[in-house]
Amino acid sequence: MESSVNLQEPLSYVVWPIVLTGVITAAVLLFFGGCWYLRRRRKMAAELPKVVKPAPMDMGRVKARYLSELADIAGQYDQGKLDVRGAYQRMSRCIRGFVHAATGIRVQNYTLYDIERLNMPELYYLVAEYYAPEFARKSDGDVRASLEKTRSLIERWQ
């Protein structure tokens, strides 16, 4: 049986409508993608908290309270009442509480990324140091060195 099918040559049809449709689609996607990106960026900039000093307080008293808490953490760790993970969790709670008391910013609820955006590099590096021992499956860390860094940051805080 003989068939007589005549096939068209490749690209014998008009190509410009396909190309024009592709260019228009790309332009629309680029426009809406740019709008989305700019809106997101403005929103992130607006959400950045302002560091505002709370009502006048005795910074010496605040520092003494949190340095005492650090001494308590060190004592409990030395007595074996706290493991490495527990010590790092309490240090994190302590420094976050201190920063909240000193600045009014509720860093207790902040992620590491949020803390980085605060532009407080020493706090960021200290909390980043806590993350591995706090959240790792097996907690390893130099608790003594971290306690000393935390103590130093609290003592130097302005």
Side-chain angles (χ1 to χ4, degrees):
M1 179 167 174
E2 197 172 307
S3 99
S4 61
V5 176
N6 292 330
L7 299 175
Q8 288 184 333
E9 292 293 322
L11 301 179
S12 64
Y13 48 87
V14 180
V15 177
W16 70 266
I18 296 171
V19 171
L20 184 63
T21 303
V23 168
I24 290 172
T25 303
V28 168
L29 287 175
L30 201 68
F31 173 76
F32 284 113
C35 288
W36 173 79
Y37 175 76
L38 290 174
R39 191 175 329 118
R40 188 173 141 237
R41 209 162 155 195
R42 274 190 226 123
K43 183 180 175 186
M44 286 176 64
E47 288 177 353
L48 193 61
K50 306 289 186 257
V51 177
V52 178
K53 292 258 183 190
M57 65 179 144
D58 182 10
M59 185 58 83
R61 190 176 300 168
V62 173
K63 285 182 180 183
R65 174 182 169 207
Y66 287 97
L67 289 172
S68 169
E69 189 175 328
L70 278 179
D72 182 50
I73 294 168
Q76 288 186 4
Y77 178 73
D78 289 342
Q79 294 171 4
K81 293 180 181 176
L82 278 178
D83 62 346
V84 173
R85 183 186 314 271
Y88 275 99
Q89 288 172 341
R90 293 230 4 232
M91 277 189 280
S92 180
R93 224 174 302 133
C94 177
I95 193 65
R96 288 168 185 257
F98 171 75
V99 172
H100 173 66
T103 66
I105 300 172
R106 294 191 50 84
V107 292
Q108 302 94 317
N109 305 330
Y110 282 20
T111 64
L112 188 60
Y113 175 73
D114 296 332
I115 292 172
E116 181 180 29
R117 290 180 37 217
L118 287 176
N119 197 23
M120 294 180 186
E122 290 186 77
L123 177 64
Y124 169 76
Y125 292 124
L126 192 60
V127 173
E129 181 179 314
Y130 298 160
Y131 260 48
E134 274 186 290
F135 299 112
R137 193 168 278 198
K138 182 180 181 218
S139 295
D140 287 328
D142 187 354
V143 175
R144 284 264 158 231
S146 295
L147 278 166
E148 188 53 43
K149 287 178 189 176
T150 307
R151 183 177 297 115
S152 173
L153 178 62
I154 291 173
E155 288 172 347
R156 290 180 289 116
W157 193 272
Q158 300 275 330

